[in-house]
Amino acid sequence: MIVMKFGGTSVGSADSIRRTVRIVKAGLPRKPLVVVSALSGVTDMLLAAAEDALKRSLPAGDLVKKIRDRHTAVLLGLGLGPGLVDAEFAELEHVLFGVSLVRELTLRTSDYVASFGERMSSTIVAAFAKASGLNLQAFNACELGMLTNAAFGSAEILPETYASIAGAVGRIPGGVVPVVTGFIGKTAEGEVTTLGRGGSDYTASIFGAALGAEEIQIWTDVDGVMTADPRIVPDARTVAVVSFEEASELAYFGAKVLHPKTIIPAMEKEIPVRVLNTFNPAGKGTLIVRKAVKSNPVTAITSKKDIFVINIHSARMLMVYGFLNNVFRIFNDFKVPVDMVATSEVNVTVTVDKQFDVSGIVARLGEFSEVDVLSDRASISIVGEGIRSTAGVGGRIFSILGSRGINVEMTSQSYGDVNESIIVMAGRLNEAVQALHAVFFGDDAGKVAAAGA
Ligand code: ADP
Ligand code: ASP
Ligand code: MG
């Protein structure tokens, strides 16, 4: 069997859903389990509606009407009855009314509100496929064993999740193709959780690993994993083969095409992941496997704008052991992951995703050091298996950015890493990524590969 995951744009309009169902139909001989995201933009709208409900006492604001209109247009465009998701809207309006009454919006409630996007999209895709003569049936992942912990907003699966998914999917009658909600799960107590933004990719790989899929397909709106974000570098190219490790680094350091955790279950079970384009299904896409041999030492360049750079300065670190332990224990206490780290004799510099509140950490660090938090910086990660063994990659990075007067403020690459990350001013990010892309993938790129060979 295979898992086929379709992202927001792949189910974002009647035309896209038609394309998606055609692709599923072509995949039927491989016994697919389909995972879908919410219609593009709907998760944002749902979360905004929840914020809106917090501020007003009306049962439902304009945003709910917009979300409803969006779904109605798609339903009518597919020739389906506009009432198909009425039950979900009635429930959503109740929840939002509750938020406006109690004037409280917890992460738990946000997850519940966000879950409606995938619940509705899966219902619509299955109904349209059924009307087209295919035996697709919508399932909420919560009914299919998708158990998580209670870390609302970015829940993690439990040790028993694979077995509970395998058991639940095994009970689906033969011939039925399940269309499963991405992004959401439930706790052992039955509360709805989400896996974090973009989490439907992760759902797909969890189901793939639980069911021993022969392949996990991520259908999106670009031709695969590209040499850079095509919105920053318009002439970015599709990469044919990417290693699990490269894909993990790319996703973790900003390549939105994959949720950062997607690769973990696939890697555990050695399941190839293929990234494909719903709007160009004949394309080869990108294959993500354990080993990828390439002539270019660099596979792709990615970047992240929403980061804090935290610099911790203390003369007390000189010749003293235990300082780093004290620093990282504080991050650990606040459960905030550190992305990049660089140390010198008197400074420790780290980066942290802006989704985390670092005020408590800064206060604790301030008890024994001077702390600066910079919020106008961006990270760039140059990723490739060849970086481990190729001389001169760092030199190329510094020299091209230096020639443009772009200061590299921090750099981090450990022994054996497939990732060389740097920090620059956020205002110069696009220019820096474009310049680096030209160096590693432009006409001169062959020379880089040859120099490193
Ligand atoms: P979906 O809704 O299908 O999950 P996303 O919007 O989450 O799609 O991810 C696809 C988008 O990721 C692309 O449209 C592209 O703009 C962006 N992206 C960023 N970096 C990369 C990259 N290196 N390769 C491909 N796409 C990238
Ligand atoms: N709909 C969710 C989001 O927008 C999950 C996903 O698209 O993967 O984050
Ligand atoms: Mg996505």
Side-chain angles (χ1 to χ4, degrees):
M1 62 88 56
I2 59 170
V3 174
M4 304 175 96
K5 177 261 173 178
F6 294 88
T9 34
S10 304
V11 295
S13 67
D15 178 54
S16 303
I17 291 177
R18 274 196 202 93
R19 284 172 184 276
T20 288
V21 170
R22 269 204 299 274
I23 293 166
V24 173
K25 187 174 180 192
L28 286 179
R30 298 181 78 186
K31 302 211 178 328
L33 174 137
V34 178
V35 173
V36 289
S37 294
L39 276 58
S40 51
V42 163
T43 307
D44 284 338
M45 287 158 90
L46 285 164
L47 293 172
E51 292 288 342
D52 193 45
L54 189 59
K55 287 184 225 129
R56 58 167 92 211
S57 50
L58 290 172
D62 299 345
L63 274 165
V64 178
K65 186 176 176 306
K66 265 197 191 153
I67 302 170
R68 188 186 266 277
D69 290 347
R70 179 81 197 283
H71 286 83
T72 305
V74 169
L75 285 166
L76 293 176
L78 292 171
L80 298 170
L84 188 70
V85 288
D86 273 0
E88 283 80 4
F89 271 104
E91 189 181 334
L92 171 65
E93 282 176 7
H94 266 102
V95 182
L96 294 176
F97 188 47
V99 170
S100 68
L101 280 181
V102 296
R103 305 233 166 232
E104 189 179 71
L105 181 60
T106 57
L107 275 177
R108 173 192 314 245
T109 308
S110 288
D111 276 2
Y112 184 19
V113 171
S115 74
F116 285 92
E118 273 70 10
R119 288 171 56 188
M120 296 193 285
S121 65
S122 54
T123 303
I124 295 172
V125 170
F128 175 68
K130 201 142 211 172
S132 317
L134 306 180
N135 198 6
L136 269 63
Q137 193 182 321
F139 288 90
N140 187 325
C142 304
E143 304 158 24
L144 292 185
M146 182 64 179
L147 293 171
T148 73
N149 64 11
F152 297 100
S154 61
E156 201 35 83
I157 52 171
L158 302 177
E160 62 268 34
T161 305
Y162 288 171
S164 64
I165 289 175
V169 174
R171 287 188 287 276
I172 297 174
V176 171
V177 176
V179 183
V180 183
T181 55
F183 185 48
I184 61 181
K186 71 168 180 190
T187 64
E189 285 73 41
E191 287 173 304
V192 179
T193 57
T194 69
L195 307 176
R197 296 307 305 271
S200 300
D201 302 327
Y202 190 32
T203 305
S205 65
I206 292 166
F207 272 80
L211 301 171
E214 64 189 68
E215 184 171 293
I216 297 160
Q217 299 182 344
I218 306 291
W219 289 86
T220 183
D221 57 3
V222 285
D223 274 331
V225 175
M226 306 184 78
T227 49
D229 184 344
R231 287 168 302 187
I232 300 180
V233 182
D235 60 345
R237 296 192 295 268
T238 308
V239 187
V241 190
V242 173
S243 72
F244 283 138
E245 202 175 337
E246 288 171 333
S248 283
E249 294 287 328
L250 287 168
Y252 194 81
F253 285 96
K256 194 186 166 212
V257 64
L258 290 174
H259 182 276
K261 291 180 189 160
T262 312
I263 298 301
I264 302 167
M267 198 154 70
E268 257 172 40
K269 305 271 169 167
E270 286 252 4
I271 302 171
V273 177
R274 217 180 265 280
V275 182
L276 295 152
N277 189 350
T278 303
F279 304 90
N280 177 26
K284 289 204 170 73
T286 298
L287 180 63
I288 306 172
V289 283
R290 191 222 277 258
K291 224 171 159 45
V293 181
K294 281 160 285 189
S295 57
N296 194 333
V298 176
T299 297
I301 299 170
T302 185
S303 59
K304 220 170 152 179
K305 248 185 167 160
D306 294 328
I307 57 162
F308 290 121
V309 173
I310 305 176
N311 188 48
I312 303 139
H313 172 87
S314 173
R316 277 200 243 165
M317 120 190 220
L318 271 171
M319 314 287 286
V320 179
Y321 64 86
F323 186 84
L324 286 177
N325 183 35
N326 292 341
V327 168
F328 289 114
R329 206 171 44 210
I330 294 172
F331 284 90
N332 189 41
D333 288 349
F334 284 87
K335 294 194 168 64
V336 170
V338 165
D339 291 345
M340 281 172 72
V341 187
T343 62
S344 71
E345 273 181 347
V346 288
N347 285 300
V348 181
T349 310
V350 302
T351 69
V352 166
D353 195 294
K354 265 192 191 159
Q355 65 172 298
F356 298 104
D357 176 5
V358 292
S359 52
I361 293 176
V362 170
R364 287 267 301 277
L365 290 168
E367 291 166 13
F368 59 90
S369 53
E370 285 168 36
V371 187
D372 288 313
V373 180
L374 311 171
S375 55
D376 54 356
R377 302 300 197 272
S379 68
I380 302 177
S381 301
I382 294 96
V383 173
E385 290 279 353
I387 290 179
R388 312 187 219 247
S389 52
T390 309
V393 171
R396 289 245 161 184
I397 296 171
F398 282 99
S399 107
I400 185 68
L401 297 181
S403 73
R404 289 173 185 251
I406 299 172
N407 190 22
V408 175
E409 297 190 347
M410 171 183 175
T411 163
S412 102
Q413 190 206 351
S414 309
Y415 177 78
D417 268 359
V418 301
N419 170 2
E420 176 130 6
S421 287
I422 57 169
I423 296 294
V424 298
M425 292 294 296
R428 313 240 13 218
L429 174 65
N430 289 5
E431 187 191 346
V433 172
Q434 286 153 3
L436 289 164
H437 192 269
V439 164
F440 291 109
F441 302 103
D443 294 340
D444 286 346
K447 289 182 208 154
V448 182

Short mmCIF file of all heavy atoms in Angstrom, two decimals, residues 373-411:
data_model
loop_
_atom_site.label_atom_id
_atom_site.label_comp_id
_atom_site.label_asym_id
_atom_site.label_seq_id
_atom_site.Cartn_x
_atom_site.Cartn_y
_atom_site.Cartn_z
N VAL A 373 18.86 39.87 22.99
CA VAL A 373 17.96 39.12 22.10
C VAL A 373 17.78 39.93 20.82
O VAL A 373 17.31 41.07 20.86
CB VAL A 373 16.58 38.89 22.77
CG1 VAL A 373 15.67 38.09 21.83
CG2 VAL A 373 16.76 38.16 24.09
N LEU A 374 18.19 39.36 19.71
CA LEU A 374 18.09 40.05 18.43
C LEU A 374 16.93 39.44 17.65
O LEU A 374 16.89 38.21 17.45
CB LEU A 374 19.39 39.90 17.63
CG LEU A 374 20.67 40.21 18.42
CD1 LEU A 374 21.90 39.82 17.62
CD2 LEU A 374 20.71 41.69 18.77
N SER A 375 15.99 40.29 17.23
CA SER A 375 14.83 39.71 16.54
C SER A 375 14.78 40.08 15.06
O SER A 375 13.81 39.77 14.38
CB SER A 375 13.54 40.14 17.24
OG SER A 375 13.51 41.53 17.32
N ASP A 376 15.81 40.74 14.57
CA ASP A 376 15.80 41.15 13.16
C ASP A 376 16.86 40.38 12.36
O ASP A 376 17.50 40.92 11.49
CB ASP A 376 16.05 42.65 13.05
CG ASP A 376 17.32 43.07 13.77
OD1 ASP A 376 17.96 42.21 14.42
OD2 ASP A 376 17.71 44.25 13.67
N ARG A 377 17.05 39.13 12.74
CA ARG A 377 18.02 38.30 12.04
C ARG A 377 17.32 37.13 11.35
O ARG A 377 16.17 36.80 11.67
CB ARG A 377 19.06 37.72 13.02
CG ARG A 377 19.83 38.76 13.83
CD ARG A 377 20.61 39.68 12.93
NE ARG A 377 21.66 40.41 13.63
CZ ARG A 377 21.50 41.59 14.26
NH1 ARG A 377 20.31 42.16 14.31
NH2 ARG A 377 22.53 42.20 14.83
N ALA A 378 18.03 36.50 10.42
CA ALA A 378 17.48 35.33 9.72
C ALA A 378 18.59 34.29 9.59
O ALA A 378 19.77 34.65 9.56
CB ALA A 378 16.98 35.73 8.35
N SER A 379 18.19 33.03 9.55
CA SER A 379 19.21 31.99 9.36
C SER A 379 19.14 31.48 7.92
O SER A 379 18.06 31.47 7.31
CB SER A 379 19.00 30.83 10.33
OG SER A 379 17.82 30.13 10.03
N ILE A 380 20.30 31.12 7.39
CA ILE A 380 20.37 30.48 6.07
C ILE A 380 21.10 29.17 6.28
O ILE A 380 22.15 29.15 6.94
CB ILE A 380 21.16 31.35 5.07
CG1 ILE A 380 20.51 32.74 4.93
CG2 ILE A 380 21.24 30.65 3.71
CD1 ILE A 380 21.26 33.69 4.01
N SER A 381 20.55 28.09 5.75
CA SER A 381 21.21 26.79 5.89
C SER A 381 21.56 26.25 4.51
O SER A 381 20.70 26.17 3.64
CB SER A 381 20.30 25.80 6.62
OG SER A 381 19.99 26.32 7.90
N ILE A 382 22.82 25.93 4.35
CA ILE A 382 23.29 25.35 3.09
C ILE A 382 23.44 23.86 3.39
O ILE A 382 24.21 23.47 4.26
CB ILE A 382 24.64 25.99 2.67
CG1 ILE A 382 24.41 27.47 2.32
CG2 ILE A 382 25.24 25.31 1.45
CD1 ILE A 382 24.68 28.42 3.39
N VAL A 383 22.64 23.04 2.69
CA VAL A 383 22.51 21.63 3.07
C VAL A 383 22.97 20.72 1.93
O VAL A 383 22.61 20.94 0.77
CB VAL A 383 21.03 21.32 3.42
CG1 VAL A 383 20.83 19.83 3.66
CG2 VAL A 383 20.60 22.13 4.64
N GLY A 384 23.76 19.72 2.28
CA GLY A 384 24.17 18.74 1.27
C GLY A 384 25.06 17.68 1.88
O GLY A 384 25.90 18.00 2.73
N GLU A 385 24.85 16.43 1.49
CA GLU A 385 25.69 15.33 2.01
C GLU A 385 27.16 15.62 1.72
O GLU A 385 28.05 15.28 2.50
CB GLU A 385 25.30 14.01 1.34
CG GLU A 385 23.93 13.47 1.75
CD GLU A 385 23.94 12.75 3.09
OE1 GLU A 385 25.03 12.54 3.66
OE2 GLU A 385 22.83 12.42 3.57
N GLY A 386 27.43 16.27 0.56
CA GLY A 386 28.81 16.51 0.15
C GLY A 386 29.55 17.52 1.00
O GLY A 386 30.78 17.62 0.94
N ILE A 387 28.81 18.25 1.83
CA ILE A 387 29.46 19.28 2.66
C ILE A 387 30.45 18.66 3.64
O ILE A 387 31.50 19.22 3.93
CB ILE A 387 28.40 20.13 3.39
CG1 ILE A 387 27.66 21.00 2.38
CG2 ILE A 387 29.02 21.00 4.47
CD1 ILE A 387 26.57 21.85 2.96
N ARG A 388 30.11 17.46 4.12
CA ARG A 388 30.99 16.80 5.09
C ARG A 388 32.39 16.61 4.53
O ARG A 388 33.37 16.64 5.26
CB ARG A 388 30.52 15.38 5.42
CG ARG A 388 29.10 15.17 5.75
CD ARG A 388 28.98 13.70 6.21
NE ARG A 388 27.76 13.09 5.73
CZ ARG A 388 26.77 12.71 6.54
NH1 ARG A 388 26.85 12.89 7.82
NH2 ARG A 388 25.70 12.15 6.05
N SER A 389 32.47 16.31 3.22
CA SER A 389 33.75 15.88 2.68
C SER A 389 34.36 16.87 1.68
O SER A 389 35.38 16.60 1.10
CB SER A 389 33.56 14.53 1.99
OG SER A 389 32.48 14.65 1.07
N THR A 390 33.70 18.01 1.48
CA THR A 390 34.18 18.92 0.45
C THR A 390 34.83 20.14 1.07
O THR A 390 34.21 20.81 1.91
CB THR A 390 33.00 19.38 -0.44
OG1 THR A 390 32.31 18.22 -0.87
CG2 THR A 390 33.48 20.17 -1.63
N ALA A 391 36.05 20.42 0.64
CA ALA A 391 36.73 21.61 1.15
C ALA A 391 36.20 22.83 0.42
O ALA A 391 35.79 22.74 -0.74
CB ALA A 391 38.23 21.47 0.91
N GLY A 392 36.14 23.94 1.10
CA GLY A 392 35.89 25.20 0.40
C GLY A 392 34.45 25.69 0.36
O GLY A 392 34.19 26.77 -0.14
N VAL A 393 33.51 24.89 0.91
CA VAL A 393 32.12 25.35 0.88
C VAL A 393 31.98 26.62 1.74
O VAL A 393 31.40 27.63 1.32
CB VAL A 393 31.14 24.25 1.35
CG1 VAL A 393 29.73 24.79 1.51
CG2 VAL A 393 31.14 23.10 0.34
N GLY A 394 32.54 26.55 2.96
CA GLY A 394 32.47 27.70 3.85
C GLY A 394 33.12 28.93 3.21
O GLY A 394 32.59 30.04 3.28
N GLY A 395 34.26 28.71 2.58
CA GLY A 395 34.98 29.81 1.92
C GLY A 395 34.11 30.49 0.88
O GLY A 395 34.04 31.72 0.80
N ARG A 396 33.41 29.69 0.09
CA ARG A 396 32.53 30.24 -0.95
C ARG A 396 31.40 31.08 -0.32
O ARG A 396 31.02 32.12 -0.85
CB ARG A 396 31.89 29.10 -1.73
CG ARG A 396 32.85 28.39 -2.60
CD ARG A 396 32.44 28.61 -4.02
NE ARG A 396 33.54 28.35 -4.91
CZ ARG A 396 33.46 28.54 -6.22
NH1 ARG A 396 32.35 28.98 -6.74
NH2 ARG A 396 34.48 28.29 -6.96
N ILE A 397 30.88 30.57 0.79
CA ILE A 397 29.77 31.28 1.45
C ILE A 397 30.26 32.66 1.90
O ILE A 397 29.66 33.69 1.60
CB ILE A 397 29.24 30.48 2.67
CG1 ILE A 397 28.64 29.15 2.21
CG2 ILE A 397 28.24 31.28 3.47
CD1 ILE A 397 28.28 28.18 3.34
N PHE A 398 31.39 32.65 2.63
CA PHE A 398 31.90 33.92 3.16
C PHE A 398 32.30 34.86 2.05
O PHE A 398 32.07 36.06 2.11
CB PHE A 398 33.09 33.66 4.10
CG PHE A 398 32.65 33.17 5.44
CD1 PHE A 398 32.67 31.82 5.76
CD2 PHE A 398 32.19 34.06 6.39
CE1 PHE A 398 32.24 31.36 7.00
CE2 PHE A 398 31.76 33.62 7.64
CZ PHE A 398 31.78 32.26 7.94
N SER A 399 32.92 34.32 0.99
CA SER A 399 33.45 35.23 -0.02
C SER A 399 32.32 35.89 -0.82
O SER A 399 32.35 37.08 -1.04
CB SER A 399 34.51 34.51 -0.86
OG SER A 399 34.04 34.22 -2.10
N ILE A 400 31.27 35.15 -1.18
CA ILE A 400 30.21 35.79 -1.97
C ILE A 400 29.44 36.81 -1.10
O ILE A 400 29.11 37.90 -1.57
CB ILE A 400 29.24 34.76 -2.60
CG1 ILE A 400 28.22 35.46 -3.51
CG2 ILE A 400 28.48 33.95 -1.59
CD1 ILE A 400 28.77 36.07 -4.74
N LEU A 401 29.19 36.43 0.17
CA LEU A 401 28.43 37.37 1.00
C LEU A 401 29.29 38.59 1.34
O LEU A 401 28.82 39.73 1.33
CB LEU A 401 27.90 36.68 2.26
CG LEU A 401 26.92 35.53 1.97
CD1 LEU A 401 26.41 34.91 3.26
CD2 LEU A 401 25.73 36.02 1.14
N GLY A 402 30.59 38.35 1.59
CA GLY A 402 31.51 39.45 1.88
C GLY A 402 31.58 40.42 0.71
O GLY A 402 31.56 41.64 0.90
N SER A 403 31.60 39.89 -0.51
CA SER A 403 31.72 40.76 -1.67
C SER A 403 30.49 41.66 -1.83
O SER A 403 30.53 42.67 -2.49
CB SER A 403 31.94 39.93 -2.94
OG SER A 403 30.73 39.28 -3.29
N ARG A 404 29.41 41.26 -1.20
CA ARG A 404 28.19 42.09 -1.26
C ARG A 404 27.99 42.89 0.02
O ARG A 404 26.92 43.47 0.24
CB ARG A 404 26.97 41.20 -1.46
CG ARG A 404 26.98 40.65 -2.85
CD ARG A 404 25.91 39.64 -3.06
NE ARG A 404 26.09 39.11 -4.40
CZ ARG A 404 25.26 39.36 -5.41
NH1 ARG A 404 24.20 40.09 -5.23
NH2 ARG A 404 25.51 38.86 -6.59
N GLY A 405 28.95 42.85 0.89
CA GLY A 405 28.83 43.61 2.13
C GLY A 405 27.79 43.03 3.08
O GLY A 405 27.23 43.74 3.92
N ILE A 406 27.51 41.72 2.95
CA ILE A 406 26.56 41.09 3.88
C ILE A 406 27.38 40.38 4.97
O ILE A 406 28.18 39.48 4.68
CB ILE A 406 25.64 40.08 3.16
CG1 ILE A 406 24.83 40.80 2.09
CG2 ILE A 406 24.73 39.36 4.15
CD1 ILE A 406 24.01 39.89 1.18
N ASN A 407 27.18 40.83 6.19
CA ASN A 407 27.97 40.31 7.30
C ASN A 407 27.41 38.98 7.80
O ASN A 407 26.22 38.87 8.05
CB ASN A 407 27.95 41.36 8.43
CG ASN A 407 28.92 41.03 9.52
OD1 ASN A 407 29.89 40.30 9.28
ND2 ASN A 407 28.68 41.57 10.71
N VAL A 408 28.28 37.98 7.91
CA VAL A 408 27.86 36.70 8.50
C VAL A 408 28.10 36.81 10.01
O VAL A 408 29.23 36.92 10.46
CB VAL A 408 28.66 35.52 7.91
CG1 VAL A 408 28.32 34.22 8.63
CG2 VAL A 408 28.39 35.40 6.42
N GLU A 409 27.01 36.82 10.79
CA GLU A 409 27.15 37.14 12.22
C GLU A 409 27.37 35.92 13.09
O GLU A 409 27.75 36.03 14.24
CB GLU A 409 25.90 37.88 12.69
CG GLU A 409 25.73 39.20 11.96
CD GLU A 409 24.65 40.04 12.58
OE1 GLU A 409 23.88 39.53 13.40
OE2 GLU A 409 24.60 41.23 12.23
N MET A 410 27.06 34.77 12.55
CA MET A 410 27.21 33.56 13.36
C MET A 410 27.26 32.42 12.37
O MET A 410 26.66 32.48 11.29
CB MET A 410 25.98 33.40 14.25
CG MET A 410 25.87 32.09 14.99
SD MET A 410 24.31 32.07 15.92
CE MET A 410 24.34 30.42 16.57
N THR A 411 28.01 31.39 12.69
CA THR A 411 28.05 30.25 11.79
C THR A 411 28.07 28.99 12.63
O THR A 411 28.61 28.98 13.73
CB THR A 411 29.25 30.33 10.82
OG1 THR A 411 29.48 29.05 10.25
CG2 THR A 411 30.52 30.78 11.52
#
